[in-house]
Amino acid sequence: MKKYLSIFMTAVMVLTMIPMMAFADTYPKASVIGNPAAFTTDDTNKEVRFKVELGKNLDLKTGRAMIQLDNAKLATTPAPASVTVVQGSTTTSSPTVAFKTPDGNALTGGEKMFNLEVASDIAANKVDSIDVIVSLKLDFSDSELKDVKLTIKDYGLGIGDETLVVGKDKSETLRDFEVEVDKPSTSIGPAGGTLSTVLLSKLDKLSANKADNEIVVSLPSGYIFSTSTKVVIGGGSPTVTYSKDKNEMTITGVDNKTSYVTIEPFVILEASNSASTGNISAGFNFKVSGKSVASKDVIIGKLQSYGLTLTAKEPGMKEIPTLSRGIAKTVELTIKAVDGTLSNGAVINLDVKNAEIVYNTIKVVEPTGLVLTAPRSAGSNNKVSGYEVYNDSEFALRTHKYDVQNIKVTFDVVAEEKATGKATVTASVTRLDDVTIDIAKITNVLNVEITPAKVEKGTKPALPNVVIKESTINQL
């Protein structure tokens, strides 16, 4: 019984596998005959051949398939496309297979998209052994030096397009150039700014004639180049021009002996809100005699909204200082701005709460030339914990040049008489939300701990246990 059951189960397994095997290969089936054609832009009538298995191409079974060329066109010659039908072992040149333009006209050359139409008497034959061998004569004069692709388009049967590589350029080594981005995380704000420096190298495959070569750098939509962009080349002087909309920059004066090209792109937005925040990519396209030989896209920075970031610490330490009443401490405040946030003459107002700024201690560490505006002294008769302080714990910094991004100031603070918790500073700039951070912790000089005494009936009352400690060592 077990033996018969085993045979039965095996039969069931085989039967369940048949549909999968029978229908697993129903997608379009096409292949290049021989190797993809090796071409140069001087080739205007070069043959490529590929085979389509009619029985497995559902579009051709319905009588028509659309063919699209990428990076090449049909040659302007009589019969730029021809076909041979192979059915089983019989080869016939069949007049029942024709090529037409999408609007139904005969091919004349120069087309990049056309139809392959199969007459009903062939389409009705569902034998898988029918092969349609297509021969195309291609013109590569306008081609870029990259792969030439041919796609058999899906007519809506849900099987997807099929793409073949039918041509490869003879000089693929011309693609060998390198792009190095110094700091792709470089950020700019909506006012624009300088993005990461880019280094281009391995240019030895360019033409020896400088007049033949161009390096075109393009920006994404919404950005334009400022003429403040810097370009330096090794072994010569570049010529830099811009497209009418300034979205592209063209560098000439380079040849196969140029050791490097460095680009420091200064970009601005084409208009307010013309680009979304996020990564900014640039395209680098090498052209020889007006034709592209290589191209790469890389991220050269990011766009952020205007904004400030504040950090504070005690100099030489990683944390903010702890203020005990009567003891002043130094605060090191760092302000970082997104590019374009702080233009020339921008004012940052800084307001300290829960602490007083010790008079004459505000110092601008960087950048030099920043303008400091601080209030007058509160006077020697209005000291806080023995320190002469400013009349108001507010001061202002005013920028002196375009696009200040890093500011560092130091100042001494002393806790207000009744302050607890933390001292803070708030930065205010026109057009931005205020930013507030902690700059010091505030604690008492003395901590008093009292342990209540235990009192028992009939005995003399004991005194409570009182312990007085410094909150910070060596403050008394």
Side-chain angles (χ1 to χ4, degrees):
M1 180 66 181
K2 290 182 180 181
K3 181 178 180 181
Y4 292 118
L5 181 60
S6 176
I7 294 174
F8 172 75
M9 293 301 294
T10 302
V12 170
M13 291 175 64
V14 170
L15 287 173
T16 56
M17 291 176 64
I18 288 176
M20 295 177 62
M21 296 169 62
F23 296 100
D25 198 13
T26 58
Y27 293 97
K29 192 70 174 178
S31 57
V32 176
I33 297 176
N35 295 320
F39 71 90
T40 69
T41 53
D42 293 329
D43 293 323
T44 59
N45 187 10
K46 198 173 188 73
E47 185 181 51
V48 300
R49 299 174 73 231
F50 65 97
K51 178 179 69 174
V52 180
E53 295 182 30
L54 177 61
K56 297 180 181 179
N57 190 300
L58 302 184
D59 280 326
L60 276 178
K61 281 186 176 182
T62 64
R64 184 176 64 171
M66 179 178 286
I67 296 175
Q68 178 176 312
L69 287 168
D70 177 27
N71 197 35
K73 59 186 178 182
L74 289 177
T76 306
T77 182
S82 59
V83 66
T84 299
V85 176
V86 179
Q87 183 170 345
S89 59
T90 304
T91 300
T92 59
S93 295
S94 175
T96 56
V97 179
F99 294 93
K100 294 182 180 179
T101 64
D103 56 5
N105 296 321
L107 301 183
T108 59
E111 292 87 0
K112 291 188 175 183
M113 182 175 290
F114 48 92
N115 291 335
L116 168 57
E117 298 186 359
V118 181
S120 59
D121 59 334
I122 293 181
N125 190 332
K126 308 302 182 184
V127 179
D128 284 355
S129 61
I130 298 178
D131 292 338
V132 178
I133 298 176
V134 180
S135 174
L136 303 178
K137 295 177 181 178
L138 300 184
D139 182 345
F140 298 99
S141 59
D142 295 330
S143 301
E144 296 181 357
L145 296 182
K146 62 181 184 179
D147 289 350
V148 173
K149 296 179 180 179
L150 179 146
T151 301
I152 302 174
K153 306 289 289 184
D154 180 9
Y155 261 91
L157 296 175
I159 55 178
D161 299 344
E162 183 170 13
T163 299
L164 307 173
V165 174
V166 295
K168 286 184 173 291
D169 70 273
K170 289 182 178 178
S171 52
E172 283 191 332
T173 54
L174 287 177
R175 303 181 190 203
D176 295 337
F177 76 99
E178 292 184 354
V179 182
E180 296 180 40
V181 182
D182 184 27
K183 296 179 180 178
S185 60
T186 302
S187 298
I188 62 170
T194 303
L195 295 171
S196 176
T197 299
V198 179
L199 171 67
L200 306 179
S201 59
K202 293 184 67 177
L203 314 180
D204 54 299
K205 297 299 183 180
L206 291 175
S207 170
N209 184 3
K210 290 183 178 180
D212 293 341
N213 305 316
E214 292 179 336
I215 299 176
V216 179
V217 186
S218 57
L219 294 173
S221 175
Y223 296 93
I224 60 177
F225 281 107
S226 163
T227 53
S228 298
T229 295
K230 297 178 182 178
V231 178
V232 178
I233 69 174
S237 299
T239 299
V240 179
T241 57
Y242 298 92
S243 60
K244 186 176 180 180
D245 58 5
K246 289 186 168 60
N247 184 255
E248 287 187 346
M249 175 180 67
T250 300
I251 303 167
T252 55
V254 294
D255 59 21
N256 58 352
K257 295 182 180 179
T258 302
S259 55
Y260 66 87
V261 177
T262 61
I263 304 168
E264 189 176 299
F266 192 108
V267 305
I268 58 178
L269 268 66
E270 187 175 14
S272 178
N273 299 321
S274 63
S276 301
T277 56
N279 290 335
I280 303 170
S281 62
F284 297 84
N285 189 9
F286 281 30
K287 291 186 175 182
V288 176
S289 299
K291 294 182 174 61
S292 175
V293 298
S295 61
K296 293 182 181 180
D297 293 333
V298 297
I299 294 172
I300 59 173
K302 61 178 60 176
L303 175 67
Q304 294 184 349
S305 301
Y306 288 130
L308 296 178
T309 301
L310 275 62
T311 56
K313 66 174 187 174
E314 187 174 357
M317 309 293 286
K318 294 183 179 180
E319 305 290 337
I320 58 176
T322 298
L323 295 180
S324 297
R325 288 190 178 86
I327 304 297
K329 289 289 187 71
T330 301
V331 174
E332 181 181 283
L333 179 67
T334 300
I335 303 170
K336 291 187 178 295
V338 174
D339 289 16
T341 299
L342 301 175
S343 56
N344 187 14
V347 176
I348 307 172
N349 293 299
L350 297 158
D351 184 6
V352 174
K353 298 293 186 184
N354 261 4
E356 300 288 346
I357 303 175
V358 178
Y359 181 67
N360 208 29
T361 62
I362 304 175
K363 297 179 182 179
V364 178
V365 178
E366 63 172 285
T368 57
L370 203 68
V371 180
L372 168 66
T373 304
R376 296 180 179 179
S377 168
S380 58
N381 295 325
N382 295 297
K383 294 183 177 181
V384 176
S385 298
Y387 292 93
E388 183 179 356
V389 297
Y390 286 101
N391 187 52
D392 194 345
S393 295
E394 296 182 15
F395 63 99
L397 302 170
R398 180 164 57 86
T399 59
H400 58 299
K401 61 181 180 180
Y402 174 75
D403 198 23
V404 176
Q405 297 178 40
N406 295 288
I407 299 172
K408 185 179 291 184
V409 295
T410 60
F411 50 89
D412 294 352
V413 292
V414 61
E416 293 180 348
E417 294 292 350
K418 296 182 180 180
T420 59
K422 294 179 180 179
T424 64
V425 66
T426 299
S428 302
V429 178
T430 303
R431 297 181 298 119
L432 299 181
D433 294 335
D434 292 351
V435 181
T436 301
I437 64 166
D438 297 334
I439 59 171
K441 302 173 186 176
I442 299 174
T443 184
N444 295 321
V445 174
L446 300 178
N447 289 327
V448 180
E449 299 176 1
I450 301 176
T451 304
K454 293 183 179 180
V455 180
E456 296 182 3
K457 189 174 182 179
T459 62
K460 184 178 180 180
L463 295 175
N465 184 33
V466 180
V467 178
I468 302 175
K469 296 181 178 180
E470 292 179 282
S471 57
T472 305
I473 297 175
N474 298 325
Q475 292 299 299
L476 292 178

